[in-house]
Amino acid sequence: MQTLIFATGNPHKVEEVNQVLSDAWDLHSMAEWGITEDLPENQDTLEGNALEKARYVYEKLKLDCFAEDTGLEVEALHGEPGVYTARYAGDSKDPNANIQKVLDKLAGAGNRRARFRTVIALIIKGEEFLFEGIAPGTIQMEKSGNGGFGYDPIFRPEGYLVSFAEMDAATKNRISHRGQAVRKLIAFLEERASKTLH
Ligand code: IMP
């Protein structure tokens, strides 16, 4: 088994990945290795932030690790909120205020196309790899649904007539940005583990 750290403060995300990873990998949260502080996110791209977080943990623990960063990119807002998705309406990271800001800025806009993008940065023995997942869609005129989190109530994925917040978790995970990026990461890790074993 090869030890791998998920550089996130969110134990649910660790559990989610653990459920689909084979026994070749021994996945741990960074908290289990004593990192409990907020990770640095000072870059102006999702790639930069994912790498910054992964490098921080790699430098501290010298263990293989990965980190992710996600943003909502709205076409008519030139890619905003992008890297500022979590704190678009302020440092309190209030999802309702964030949603309202997007709706206000898009008032009267003809083009409501948007996408969620997740970037995962993986560091194995000092070598860096990036994986990307994209979910295209549109910003609804108003909120609908109670599921999910963040901007889910206003994001309608392409090919569906409901928002992310109206979908069950399994359906969202099948098409979501994060689901796609995680599946790419896992395919890479399993391929790598099979090469190491044979
Ligand atoms: P993080 O990189 O996963 O922390 O996500 C950054 C921000 O993007 C979060 O605070 C959420 O507001 C938003 N976000 C990320 N993923 C999703 C999603 O699947 N649905 C809705 N909002 C999301």
Side-chain angles (χ1 to χ4, degrees), residues 141-161:
M141 299 299 287
E142 51 193 41
K143 294 196 258 187
S144 64
N146 298 311
F149 68 101
Y151 297 78
D152 277 350
I154 55 166
F155 185 79
R156 177 175 294 192
E158 199 173 277
Y160 292 80
L161 296 173

Side-chain angles (χ1 to χ4, degrees), residues 13 68-70 85-86 116 149-152 164 172 177-178:
K13 288 185 179 175
E68 54 134 32
D69 206 31
T70 296
T85 295
F116 272 112
F149 68 101
Y151 297 78
D152 277 350
F164 264 166
K172 181 186 165 189
H177 43 297
R178 193 175 303 96

Side-chain angles (χ1 to χ4, degrees), residues 74-140:
V74 180
E75 249 182 46
L77 303 179
H78 313 289
E80 274 187 27
V83 78
Y84 303 108
T85 295
R87 53 208 143 110
Y88 196 40
D91 285 337
S92 64
K93 299 185 177 178
D94 174 8
N96 286 317
N98 284 338
I99 283 177
Q100 200 51 52
K101 184 163 177 183
V102 170
L103 291 178
D104 288 348
K105 283 204 158 202
L106 275 183
N111 174 10
R112 301 185 73 89
R113 275 200 296 273
R115 63 183 194 174
F116 272 112
R117 195 162 73 89
T118 293
V119 174
I120 294 177
L122 168 71
I123 307 183
I124 294 189
K125 299 189 193 356
E127 211 179 333
E128 298 177 340
F129 305 89
L130 290 175
F131 306 89
E132 185 186 57
I134 291 175
T138 51
I139 301 297
Q140 296 187 160

Side-chain angles (χ1 to χ4, degrees), residues 4-197:
L4 183 65
I5 313 293
F6 190 167
T8 175
N10 186 337
H12 300 291
K13 288 185 179 175
V14 183
E15 184 49 35
E16 222 176 78
V17 174
N18 213 4
Q19 279 172 7
V20 282
L21 205 54
S22 78
D23 288 347
W25 295 93
D26 185 22
L27 187 69
H28 293 270
S29 71
M30 60 182 199
E32 289 174 80
W33 288 80
I35 300 183
T36 51
E37 64 268 33
D38 283 344
L39 297 176
E41 287 184 275
N42 302 310
Q43 307 307 308
D44 55 10
T45 61
L46 300 177
E47 286 79 1
N49 273 343
L51 275 169
E52 185 175 19
K53 289 188 276 190
R55 284 174 186 159
Y56 180 88
V57 170
Y58 187 79
E59 283 309 313
K60 281 212 150 177
L61 302 179
K62 294 284 185 256
L63 289 171
D64 296 341
C65 66
F66 65 91
E68 54 134 32
D69 206 31
T70 296
L72 174 66
E73 299 174 336
V74 180
E75 249 182 46
L77 303 179
H78 313 289
E80 274 187 27
V83 78
Y84 303 108
T85 295
R87 53 208 143 110
Y88 196 40
D91 285 337
S92 64
K93 299 185 177 178
D94 174 8
N96 286 317
N98 284 338
I99 283 177
Q100 200 51 52
K101 184 163 177 183
V102 170
L103 291 178
D104 288 348
K105 283 204 158 202
L106 275 183
N111 174 10
R112 301 185 73 89
R113 275 200 296 273
R115 63 183 194 174
F116 272 112
R117 195 162 73 89
T118 293
V119 174
I120 294 177
L122 168 71
I123 307 183
I124 294 189
K125 299 189 193 356
E127 211 179 333
E128 298 177 340
F129 305 89
L130 290 175
F131 306 89
E132 185 186 57
I134 291 175
T138 51
I139 301 297
Q140 296 187 160
M141 299 299 287
E142 51 193 41
K143 294 196 258 187
S144 64
N146 298 311
F149 68 101
Y151 297 78
D152 277 350
I154 55 166
F155 185 79
R156 177 175 294 192
E158 199 173 277
Y160 292 80
L161 296 173
V162 292
S163 76
F164 264 166
E166 292 173 278
M167 294 181 162
D168 59 73
T171 307
K172 181 186 165 189
N173 191 33
R174 209 173 54 238
I175 57 173
S176 83
H177 43 297
R178 193 175 303 96
Q180 292 179 49
V182 166
R183 283 191 292 277
K184 284 184 190 172
L185 168 78
I186 285 174
F188 178 89
L189 289 171
E190 299 303 356
E191 163 104 20
R192 183 131 182 153
S194 70
K195 277 188 187 146
T196 310
L197 291 174

